[in-house]
């Protein structure tokens, strides 16, 4: 297997003689065939191919194959957003009347997806602290639990997941664990190596890395034995009447989960990315390994600067010695974590807002993890809809600033922080 930085550049697409060196953009809704019988086989899922971009598209699949190779998975698909990826990953195995166990320290939009929208669909959830004891985690499971969901590094609390604890609990209860690996990316963390079953990404973030394309990805390790828990997952282990009686776990092996998500959910919800967006993101993936190294180096320098300034209440960054998650990060992400820092600003909401308003180079943006440094006040924006109790459970205080260090010179990021702090704090 190639090194992952080589896979970033070479993975997912190998041109033939005289073919385009870069993956082609198949900007088409439909595909022509000369045989009605062949089209019938495509719709029966008995033959591979393309018939409508709402389900699959060659450009999307080439980029998905690269991400799959980077994560070390068996099959992958792209979605129109990270939210769609998380929804598909859960809804692919959950029905009305089922239950999810999820970390409470997750992105606010994902929390609402699970806590509000999926509850309306009859799917309940028990949220647990990522720092819970194994006994507390075990107590969260119910007979109808179908999945565990967490983030490898939580957004924006920067809690590093204890993979061993959560993987063991999920597998002890016969369910897969799904981990959103957006922040570290497969450059710094490959969850499948720690027993995770399914990985999701908001490719909008570091994978695109330039704030240009919203997108998501689901990667299946192919390791969860659906047939061993056939009674829990009838959607995968019994015939699908909407697709001529195929039984995904029997007919598609390690590709069962992604095939079902494509054939059912993408067919019915249509959350497919535009091929052009996938192509752009695929081009940006080629520099991911180089960019992640710079993001992490910059964040380390900025975190050390903030930690040394008495005007800052606290700093959370897993790369800082003494950080609560420093040792966990060293265990699971020895080469670095991400370029995001959380820190506390004393003085209440007005002070936090004033600090952000005084930034010159650092942008105020509802975004994170791209080439340009940006900052956000989560309690007033992405997590604004959460109660104070829910904010505490998510590790998002009203004083928290989320700073995403870009790939500019670290000294310039620090200089912008310093001048804003001098003006406000």
């Amino acid at each position: 297997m190639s090194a992952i930085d080589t896979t970033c550049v070479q993975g997912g697409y190998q041109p033939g003689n005289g073919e385009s060196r870069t993956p082609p953009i198949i900007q088409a809704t439909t595909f022509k065939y000369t045989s009605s019988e062949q089209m019938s086989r495509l719709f029966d899922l008995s033959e591979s191919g393309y018939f409508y971009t709402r389900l699959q598209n060659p450009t999307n699949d080439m980029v998905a194959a690269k991400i799959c190779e980077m994560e070390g998975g068996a099959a992958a698909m792209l979605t129109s957003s990270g939210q769609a990826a998380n929804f598909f990953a859960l809804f692919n195995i959950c029905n009305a009347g089922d239950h999810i166990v999820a970390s409470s320290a997750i992105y606010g939009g994902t929390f609402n997806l699970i806590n509000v929208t999926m509850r309306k669909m009859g799917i309940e959830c028990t949220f647990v602290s990522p720092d819970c004891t194994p006994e507390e985690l075990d107590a969260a499971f119910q007979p109808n639990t179908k999945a565990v969901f967490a983030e490898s590094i939580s957004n924006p609390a920067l809690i590093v997941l204890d993979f061993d604890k959560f993987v063991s609990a999920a597998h002890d209860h016969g369910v897969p664990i799904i981990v959103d690996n957006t922040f570290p990316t497969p450059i710094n963390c490959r969850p499948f190596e720690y027993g995770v079953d399914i990985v999701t990404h908001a490719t909008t973030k570091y994978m695109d890395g330039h704030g240009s394309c919203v997108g998501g990805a689901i990667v299946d390790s192919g390791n969860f034995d659906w047939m061993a828990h056939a009674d829990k997952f009838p959607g995968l282990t019994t015939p699908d009447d909407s697709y001529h009686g195929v039984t995904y776990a029997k007919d598609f092996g390690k590709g069962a989960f992604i095939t079902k998500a494509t054939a059912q959910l993408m067919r019915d919800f249509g959350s497919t990315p535009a091929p052009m967006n996938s192509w752009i993101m695929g081009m940006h993936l080629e520099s991911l390994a180089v960019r992640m190294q710079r993001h992490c180096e910059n964040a380390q320098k900025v975190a050390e600067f903030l930690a040394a300034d008495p005007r800052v209440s606290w700093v959370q960054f897993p790369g800082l010695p003494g950080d609560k998650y420093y040792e966990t990060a060293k265990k699971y992400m020895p080469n670095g974590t991400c370029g995001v820092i959380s820190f506390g600003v004393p003085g209440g909401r007005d002070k936090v807002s004033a600090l952000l308003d005084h930034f010159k180079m650092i942008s105020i943006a509802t975004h994170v993890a791209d080439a340009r440094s940006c900052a956000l006040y989560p309690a007033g924006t992405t997590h604004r809809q959460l109660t104070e109790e829910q904010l505490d459970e998510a590790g998002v205080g009203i004083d928290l600033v989320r700073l995403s260090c870009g790939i500019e010179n670290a000294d310039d990021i620090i200089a912008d922080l310093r001048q804003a702090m001098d003006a406000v704090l």
Side-chain angles (χ1 to χ4, degrees):
M1 184 179 70
S2 300
I4 194 164
D5 43 359
T6 299
T7 301
C8 286
V9 180
Q10 299 286 348
Y13 169 71
Q14 294 299 321
N17 185 50
E19 293 181 347
S20 169
R21 191 160 180 253
T22 58
I25 307 168
I26 310 300
Q27 191 67 36
T29 60
T30 45
F31 305 83
K32 180 180 179 293
Y33 293 92
T34 57
S35 165
S36 295
E37 179 61 31
Q38 185 180 15
M39 283 288 286
S40 297
R41 291 195 298 272
L42 293 174
F43 275 87
D44 286 346
L45 302 182
S46 62
E47 182 175 315
S48 297
Y50 300 93
F51 50 86
Y52 200 53
T53 286
R54 190 178 82 236
L55 281 84
Q56 286 180 291
N57 174 281
T59 303
N60 293 348
D61 283 356
M62 283 181 249
V63 180
K66 183 191 288 279
I67 295 172
C68 186
E69 191 175 340
M70 290 165 64
E71 284 285 9
M77 66 188 295
L78 299 188
T79 61
S80 58
S81 68
Q83 280 288 81
N86 286 334
F87 174 62
F88 277 24
L90 289 166
F91 197 59
N92 204 34
I93 49 177
C94 294
N95 298 317
D98 287 340
H99 175 260
I100 298 164
V101 174
S103 168
S104 60
I106 54 178
Y107 167 60
T110 308
F111 184 93
N112 278 326
L113 168 68
I114 297 171
N115 191 50
V116 179
T117 301
M118 294 187 75
R119 285 191 196 276
K120 292 179 181 178
M121 304 169 76
I123 300 167
E124 296 296 320
C125 181
T126 299
F127 289 97
V128 296
S129 167
D131 295 329
C132 67
T133 65
E135 293 75 21
E136 290 169 334
L137 180 55
D138 182 72
F141 286 82
Q142 300 177 8
N144 59 339
T145 300
K146 297 298 176 68
V148 174
F149 180 86
E151 293 177 354
S152 50
I153 300 178
S154 64
N155 175 13
L158 300 180
I159 296 170
V160 179
L161 186 70
D162 184 341
F163 285 97
D164 289 347
K165 178 175 66 178
F166 276 79
V167 168
S168 294
H171 291 169
D172 285 347
H173 288 271
V175 300
I177 177 169
I178 302 167
V179 169
D180 184 328
N181 197 37
T182 296
F183 267 18
T185 79
I187 302 302
N188 289 335
C189 181
R190 284 163 45 107
F192 295 154
E193 295 176 357
Y194 305 113
V196 169
D197 300 295
I198 297 158
V199 160
T200 62
H201 286 277
T203 61
T204 318
K205 308 305 189 294
Y206 285 122
M207 284 191 166
D208 171 59
H210 296 75
S212 58
C213 302
V214 174
I218 308 171
V219 187
D220 180 21
S221 68
N223 294 330
F224 191 83
D225 189 345
W226 304 106
M227 294 306 299
H229 308 282
D231 58 325
K232 282 182 176 288
F233 305 103
L236 281 153
T237 61
T238 61
D240 178 5
D241 293 336
S242 73
Y243 259 112
H244 312 286
V246 300
T247 301
Y248 296 101
K250 290 182 178 179
D251 296 342
F252 297 99
K254 288 182 176 292
F257 184 87
I258 294 298
T259 302
K260 179 179 181 293
T262 302
Q264 288 184 350
L265 303 187
M266 196 62 84
R267 174 196 67 191
D268 295 343
F269 289 99
S271 300
T272 188
M276 176 64 79
N277 278 10
S278 298
W279 184 85
I280 293 170
M281 188 266 290
M283 291 296 100
H284 292 168
L285 276 173
E286 294 184 359
S287 64
L288 180 62
V290 179
R291 288 187 284 108
M292 286 305 295
Q293 182 178 359
R294 181 60 174 259
H295 283 297
C296 292
E297 290 173 354
N298 280 357
Q300 187 71 36
K301 293 176 183 177
V302 172
E304 290 171 359
F305 160 75
L306 289 169
D309 195 308
R311 294 172 294 180
V312 174
S313 303
W314 53 268
V315 179
Q316 188 151 345
F317 177 67
L320 280 177
D323 184 272
K324 183 177 180 180
Y325 302 99
Y326 179 79
E327 293 300 330
T328 308
K330 286 295 183 185
K331 178 179 179 180
Y332 297 116
M333 306 167 196
N335 296 321
T337 54
C338 64
V340 183
I341 301 166
S342 291
F343 64 96
V345 175
R349 291 177 181 266
D350 290 344
K351 279 287 187 183
V352 178
S353 296
L355 179 71
L356 268 64
D357 290 348
H358 276 78
F359 290 149
K360 295 179 179 178
M361 183 186 75
I362 300 168
S363 302
I364 301 174
T366 311
H367 193 45
V368 67
D370 74 21
R372 305 168 193 83
S373 292
C374 58
L376 187 70
Y377 180 33
T381 53
T382 55
H383 290 65
R384 187 180 184 87
Q385 64 275 30
L386 272 59
T387 65
E388 288 196 15
E389 182 181 355
Q390 289 171 333
L391 286 171
D392 288 339
E393 290 175 356
V396 181
I398 60 169
D399 63 340
L400 185 150
V401 173
R402 184 185 72 185
L403 173 64
S404 177
C405 296
I407 59 174
E408 307 96 346
N409 187 288
D411 291 340
D412 290 330
I413 302 172
I414 291 170
D416 198 22
L417 281 165
R418 182 183 286 113
Q419 65 81 24
M421 292 163 63
D422 288 346
V424 174
L425 303 180

